Amino acid sequence: MFEQKSLVIGDQTAEIPVIQGGMGVGVSLANLAGSVASCGGVGVISTAQIGWREEDFHRNPLEANFRAMGKEIQKAREISKGRGILGVNIMVATQNYKEYVKQAVKNKIDLIISGAGLPVDLPAFVQGSRTKIAPIVSSLKSAKVLCKMWDRRYQTAPDLVVIEGPQAGGHLGFDREELEEITQTKYDDVIRSIISLVGEYAKKYRKKIPVVVAGGIFEKKDMDHALELGADGVQMGTRFVTTQECDASQAYKQAYLNAAKEDICIVKSPVGMPGRAIRNLFVRKTEKEKIPIEKCHHCIVTCNPGKIPYCITDALVHAVEGDLDRGLIFCGANAWRCNKMETVQDIMKEFA
């Protein structure tokens, strides 16, 4: 039998062991992250093209994103009133990744969660700060490689590890074949193996390294299952989209409320990874034709503007603003189960 406890990450504590997943572009900003933290959880701001609303975004995307990051972190702090933990999600595949991390540290963020690639040099970028670091891994192999590199290069271990499974939303750490073949029972074994590995490094560095499970977490029983496997908490994104506090437009939220199970699909993202999204008019269009790209926003290192079928930044911005026919709506496997608007407080009470 498991026992639910607070999520302790170094010198930081979240009373409820729930991390709200970072969702870009603009889905999880200050309002959502601050609200989750204010309820005693871990609120996470996505830094992916965070400055798209800044006046100079198209001219100076980097400066606009850094400015917006500072604004959103400050606003989230005001909303959380010092409760819970505030984090940012920074994708490793982001152009100027190192600078994004340093900017988050400059803004004294509590936690940096990093996936979409292995953050092999992340410890170097946070040295001398109180900011905690958490890699996202999807397999025992990636966890082994990452922990071994941090141990050898920086004589350190993660402060937290996020295991993101095949039911997650957005960009996924699996190829299409794996997504079709892997079952939850099989993946439970992967989760156990990663928890065991992390335990070895926790012992070596004489510190507690909590492990949280992400992907397909939708209700309390999903968290109970993760805790039974030995995890310390969960990360959840999809359920928070249909809340009053989510930063996305109401039209975006309504797309989740309207989605049927058969509408959830795997798409080939321009950044070279499979992703999970709602199969709307935009997705159907991109299956047949290329969407002209007017300008490169310098978002992802793996993107080749001359060869991609559409611009991921434009598609995600259109979606979050409510222009759904021209937008890509990322979601988790359980998005079809969202059938009502909720509040962050309601959800956090359920998981308390």
Side-chain angles (χ1 to χ4, degrees):
M1 191 61 186
F2 66 91
E3 183 187 351
Q4 183 171 321
K5 299 175 183 175
S6 299
L7 182 62
V8 180
I9 309 169
D11 58 356
Q12 303 166 15
T13 301
E15 297 151 50
I16 302 173
V18 171
I19 298 176
Q20 160 254 311
M23 298 171 282
V25 170
V27 178
S28 63
L29 296 175
N31 203 44
L32 179 56
S35 299
V36 171
S38 76
C39 290
V42 182
V44 179
I45 295 166
S46 168
T47 65
Q49 300 296 55
I50 192 171
W52 96 93
R53 292 177 297 193
E54 295 289 308
E55 192 184 344
D56 58 344
F57 175 70
H58 295 291
R59 299 191 309 277
N60 306 301
L62 203 60
E63 287 176 30
N65 285 336
F66 289 172
R67 191 185 316 119
M69 194 195 305
K71 287 179 185 176
E72 295 295 331
I73 291 172
Q74 179 57 36
K75 186 179 169 188
R77 276 207 187 97
E78 291 165 7
I79 294 169
S80 68
K81 295 182 172 67
R83 198 176 172 202
I85 297 172
L86 282 175
V88 291
N89 182 296
I90 307 175
M91 294 190 297
V92 179
T94 303
Q95 286 192 28
N96 302 292
Y97 172 73
K98 176 181 176 181
E99 285 71 25
Y100 275 87
V101 172
K102 293 203 163 186
Q103 195 68 25
V105 169
K106 185 180 172 184
N107 282 283
K108 296 183 169 57
I109 197 69
D110 297 330
L111 173 69
I112 293 173
I113 297 175
S114 219
L118 284 182
V120 292
D121 294 315
L122 182 54
F125 308 148
V126 301
Q127 278 178 355
S129 76
R130 65 176 289 277
T131 299
K132 303 296 184 284
I133 50 177
I136 297 175
V137 296
S138 294
S139 67
L140 177 60
K141 182 182 176 182
S142 60
K144 273 183 178 174
V145 169
L146 195 281
C147 288
K148 193 173 181 180
M149 289 185 90
W150 282 17
D151 180 35
R152 192 178 72 240
R153 287 186 187 179
Y154 303 108
Q155 296 75 55
T156 194
D159 297 304
L160 165 80
V161 173
V162 178
I163 305 174
E164 194 166 270
Q167 299 285 301
H171 291 119
L172 304 166
F174 302 86
D175 60 36
R176 193 177 280 264
E177 250 179 45
E178 288 174 320
L179 289 169
E180 288 170 1
E181 291 173 4
I182 198 157
T183 62
Q184 187 57 55
T185 306
K186 278 185 189 174
Y187 201 69
D188 282 354
D189 291 336
V190 174
I191 291 168
R192 288 189 190 96
S193 68
I194 295 173
I195 290 171
S196 176
L197 172 80
V198 172
E200 292 172 22
Y201 284 90
K203 194 174 178 182
K204 177 173 182 176
Y205 285 94
R206 297 180 182 179
K207 69 175 186 177
K208 169 68 178 168
I209 306 175
V211 177
V212 301
V213 171
I217 307 297
F218 194 81
E219 56 191 347
K220 181 68 159 58
K221 72 174 186 180
D222 301 322
M223 181 166 79
D224 292 345
H225 178 66
L227 297 180
E228 284 171 358
L229 294 174
D232 300 282
V234 292
Q235 177 176 288
M236 177 171 65
T238 292
R239 181 83 183 271
F240 284 114
V241 172
T242 49
T243 59
Q244 304 289 351
E245 296 88 349
C246 177
D247 296 273
S249 66
Q250 188 56 40
Y252 189 98
K253 299 172 191 182
Q254 195 61 44
Y256 274 53
L257 297 174
N258 294 345
K261 192 172 184 178
E262 56 269 24
D263 295 327
I264 314 299
C265 67
I266 301 299
V267 298
K268 186 179 177 183
S269 165
V271 307
M273 303 174 189
R276 182 172 277 110
I278 294 175
R279 194 164 187 271
N280 62 347
L281 181 66
F282 176 80
V283 169
R284 291 195 293 273
K285 190 176 181 182
T286 58
E287 289 169 349
K288 298 173 187 173
E289 60 185 273
K290 185 176 177 180
I291 311 292
I293 297 165
E294 295 174 13
K295 182 179 176 59
C296 177
H297 301 290
H298 304 287
C299 58
I300 302 293
V301 292
T302 52
C303 177
N304 182 339
K307 294 184 177 179
I308 56 173
Y310 59 89
C311 170
I312 187 82
T313 289
D314 287 345
L316 293 174
V317 167
H318 289 150
V320 79
E321 289 182 340
D323 186 359
L324 302 187
D325 287 349
R326 295 199 297 153
L328 178 65
I329 310 163
F330 274 150
C331 68
N334 284 315
W336 62 277
R337 294 174 64 188
C338 295
N339 56 20
K340 62 179 179 180
M341 289 297 296
E342 301 182 90
T343 67
V344 164
Q345 191 174 32
D346 290 338
I347 293 171
M348 296 301 283
K349 274 183 181 173
E350 180 187 327
F351 282 79

